[in-house]
Amino acid sequence: MALENSVFPSCPDSLSLPVEEKVEGEEVEVATEATASTGVFNLLGELGHVVTTETAPSPPPLAKVNRSFQAKLAEREAQANEPRKKTQGTEKERGRFGWVRTRRKRQRYVEKNGRCNVQHGNMRETYRFLTDIFTTLVDLNWRCSLFVFVMAYAGTWLFFGAIWYLIAYCRGDLDHLEDETWTPCVNNVNGFISAFLFSIETETTIGYGHRVITDQCPVGTMLLLLQAILGSMVNAFMVGCMFVKISQPNKRAETLVFSKHAVISLRDDKLCLMFRVGDLRSSHIVGANMRAKLIKSKQTQEGEFIPLDQTDISVGFETGDDRLFLVSPLVISHEIDVHSPFWDMSQAQLEKEDFEIVVILEGMVEATGMTCQARSSYLAEEVLWGHRFSPMMSLAEGFFDIDYGAFHHTFEVVSPSCSARELSLAAARLDAHLYWSISSRLDEEPTLTNQAAKQPDSGSANSKGGEPTFIVGEMTDIQEQTGLGELNGSVATDQSESEA
């Protein structure tokens, strides 16, 4: 039996064992990658008894190559690593609907803990920070704030201590330390250390009584007044900075938690984007207000590219649902309607989208009266389609019990995979089909009425026996046009007279 070349194509080199051919009396070694351990057999040798084809002229003989085993091994490793190098890079995966998407980590605009991932660079007008030095000091981290706090006090103490020492040196108080008739500017100041200690006692109003200013030094009196005033200003400024920094409501946001994932599912037959927010403290947030933003780059019709464009996501601003009474964890819902940026997004489209949803909770701290803001964000892969949050509230004896162990837990529910637009169109088609089907049925009822109107003859025959007769009235013109199908008939009872 003869087979054609199309049935058995030429065998690749990787499927053949080493073959020795004799060309002009010389042995030529053909290097192959198959080994006995791989179990690869000589396909041409096994199928040689059935293959009878016309082969092309043989290629020119290969020259004899003498290579060491290590060189061959290195070449094989290089060939094996070649495809791996090509496939390295962005890892691709297939979504639920088979869409091939590149799996890469998107840079967040707002971190999960609320920190904005933005750094300002190439700022040339840095002097503007010095015009608001108080806010600049408050915004510093704790390490820099403590350093500034210590250096502010130590600098003023050293500065005025050096001035007190300079006054004593210029007046000659240091040269008359043993002279009891000499009246110095400051008693018991015999060097820089004693002048520094007197500066600390003056600015902190300690007043041990050992070192004291005399009335024979008007320059010292003026310096004492100046140090007292400047010392009070330094105290007010630095203590105020530390107090504001300690009482900042930023740490209050640590006890305001958001769910790890956002979900999309049906609620009242409408697709809704939902996430959960809760407060771990017993003291509540007064006047809590929720906002949401969609961060996504876009290109305008004129070709302008807008990076990280911000679009409002309605969470109940029109109805007042964005104002929260945050006593227990709440599920914030965004109805995907015509004005929603997710109106045309389906489950398959969600797997290919690249966006970020930033949620912001603002309110006043009940204990301090200061405004607090908590932030979080959700990437596209953190939005679960067809899921719903698990309930976490139960009724106990005399109170409601909140189980925060189920705060982040979701479960899958039956949800349509189409977009909200397609779901709305399908609902409209269904309503239209029901409307026309009911109208067609109502149009058929006048025909049944006309058939019933043809039965008075049989009714008159029965009336001779003294039985009551039911006469069905005719349909009016208005009823025939509207097709309401209501049978408005008049009932007449005809009782025959009996003969005496």
Side-chain angles (χ1 to χ4, degrees):
M1 182 177 76
L3 300 178
E4 299 295 334
N5 281 333
S6 59
V7 178
F8 291 99
S10 60
C11 178
D13 296 338
S14 59
L15 297 178
S16 60
L17 292 174
V19 180
E20 295 182 0
E21 298 180 358
K22 293 183 179 180
V23 179
E24 297 181 359
E26 294 182 0
E27 296 181 356
V28 180
E29 297 180 358
V30 179
T32 60
E33 296 179 2
T35 59
S37 59
T38 58
V40 180
F41 56 89
N42 190 347
L43 185 60
L44 293 178
E46 294 292 333
L47 301 178
H49 61 285
V50 295
V51 179
T52 57
T53 59
E54 295 181 0
T55 59
S58 60
L62 299 176
K64 185 176 182 180
V65 181
N66 294 326
R67 291 180 298 174
S68 62
F69 175 76
Q70 295 180 354
K72 296 179 180 179
L73 184 61
E75 183 180 356
R76 291 177 183 177
E77 290 181 356
Q79 293 177 357
N81 293 331
E82 246 179 50
R84 296 180 184 177
K85 293 180 180 179
K86 293 180 181 179
T87 57
Q88 287 179 354
T90 57
E91 181 184 356
K92 294 184 178 180
E93 64 175 7
R94 291 187 177 272
R96 185 174 181 180
F97 289 87
W99 296 96
V100 178
R101 59 177 180 177
T102 303
R103 184 181 180 87
R104 63 182 182 88
K105 187 177 180 181
R106 187 185 188 276
Q107 186 66 42
R108 287 183 178 272
Y109 189 66
V110 177
E111 299 290 344
K112 296 292 287 185
N113 57 1
R115 185 181 64 86
C116 296
N117 195 13
V118 177
Q119 293 184 359
H120 302 280
N122 197 18
M123 293 184 299
R124 299 180 180 180
E125 298 180 354
T126 55
Y127 65 90
R128 296 181 181 272
F129 291 95
L130 298 178
T131 58
D132 188 11
I133 187 64
F134 186 82
T135 306
T136 302
L137 293 177
V138 171
D139 290 340
L140 292 176
N141 54 27
W142 275 104
R143 185 180 303 175
C144 296
S145 297
L146 292 176
F147 178 77
V148 172
F149 184 83
V150 172
M151 292 304 297
Y153 283 102
T156 54
W157 294 341
L158 288 172
F159 175 74
F160 284 102
I163 295 178
W164 286 114
Y165 176 77
L166 184 61
I167 292 175
Y169 179 80
C170 293
R171 291 185 77 254
D173 295 341
L174 302 179
D175 298 334
H176 300 81
L177 296 177
E178 302 297 335
D179 190 0
E180 296 180 357
T181 61
W182 180 264
T183 303
C185 183
V186 180
N187 291 328
N188 300 316
V189 172
N190 53 9
F192 179 77
I193 300 300
S194 58
F196 177 71
L197 293 176
F198 178 73
S199 175
I200 295 176
E201 294 175 12
T202 301
E203 189 167 339
T204 58
T205 65
I206 295 176
Y208 291 110
H210 183 64
R211 282 174 286 269
V212 60
I213 190 173
T214 61
D215 55 355
Q216 300 297 324
C217 183
V219 178
T221 304
M222 297 177 59
L223 182 61
L224 180 65
L225 295 175
L226 181 62
Q227 185 175 2
I229 295 173
L230 292 179
S232 300
M233 294 176 62
V234 170
N235 288 331
F237 190 80
M238 298 309 302
V239 172
C241 286
M242 296 302 295
F243 176 77
V244 171
K245 191 171 183 63
I246 292 173
S247 59
Q248 272 186 330
N250 296 339
K251 296 302 179 182
R252 180 63 177 90
E254 297 293 335
T255 54
L256 297 174
V257 292
F258 295 88
S259 58
K260 295 181 180 178
H261 296 89
V263 298
I264 294 179
S265 61
L266 287 177
R267 176 176 277 191
D268 295 333
D269 294 334
K270 296 181 180 179
L271 283 177
C272 295
L273 171 70
M274 294 171 285
F275 58 91
R276 180 179 275 171
V277 61
D279 189 4
L280 301 180
R281 288 188 179 273
S282 299
S283 59
H284 309 306
I285 297 294
V286 180
N289 186 18
M290 177 62 66
R291 293 185 293 125
K293 293 280 188 179
L294 175 66
I295 309 297
K296 183 180 179 181
S297 302
K298 74 171 185 178
Q299 189 172 5
T300 62
Q301 297 179 359
E302 294 78 14
E304 179 187 3
F305 178 75
I306 304 177
L308 301 179
D309 182 61
Q310 300 184 11
T311 306
D312 283 332
I313 299 177
S314 176
V315 290
F317 177 77
E318 297 82 3
T319 60
D321 293 338
D322 60 333
R323 295 184 288 273
L324 310 178
F325 182 53
L326 198 59
V327 177
S328 60
L330 300 176
V331 176
I332 310 300
S333 176
H334 162 67
E335 181 180 338
I336 303 178
D337 54 6
V338 181
H339 306 287
S340 173
F342 308 109
W343 175 244
D344 295 322
M345 187 182 68
S346 62
Q347 184 175 4
Q349 187 70 20
L350 175 63
E351 297 181 355
K352 300 185 295 181
E353 286 290 338
D354 187 11
F355 60 83
E356 183 176 357
I357 301 173
V358 178
V359 292
I360 304 170
L361 175 63
E362 293 178 342
M364 187 174 61
V365 182
E366 186 180 21
T368 61
M370 303 182 70
T371 304
C372 172
Q373 185 182 90
R375 299 179 294 266
S376 185
S377 66
Y378 302 97
L379 298 179
E381 55 266 20
E382 295 174 348
V383 179
L384 305 179
W385 190 289
H387 282 247
R388 189 179 298 166
F389 287 104
S390 301
M392 51 185 303
M393 180 182 292
S394 60
L395 180 61
E397 295 182 1
F399 61 92
F400 293 94
D401 186 21
I402 306 297
D403 181 17
Y404 275 94
F407 184 81
H408 303 286
H409 186 263
T410 62
F411 62 94
E412 192 170 359
V413 294
V414 178
S415 299
S417 60
C418 61
S419 63
R421 176 193 289 272
E422 296 172 352
L423 185 63
S424 177
L425 292 176
R429 294 192 193 100
L430 180 60
D431 294 341
H433 175 71
L434 293 176
Y435 174 78
W436 290 110
S437 62
I438 293 174
S439 300
S440 61
R441 291 179 182 178
L442 293 177
D443 293 339
E444 293 176 357
E445 290 186 1
T447 306
L448 299 176
T449 306
N450 295 331
Q451 295 178 359
K454 296 180 181 179
Q455 299 177 358
D457 297 337
S458 59
S460 61
N462 295 332
S463 62
K464 295 180 180 179
E467 296 179 356
T469 304
F470 296 91
I471 301 174
V472 181
E474 295 180 356
M475 295 292 295
T476 61
D477 296 337
I478 299 176
Q479 292 171 351
E480 292 178 356
Q481 293 176 3
T482 56
L484 297 177
E486 296 179 357
L487 300 178
N488 297 327
S490 62
V491 180
T493 305
D494 184 11
Q495 186 175 3
S496 62
E497 298 179 355
S498 58
E499 296 179 358

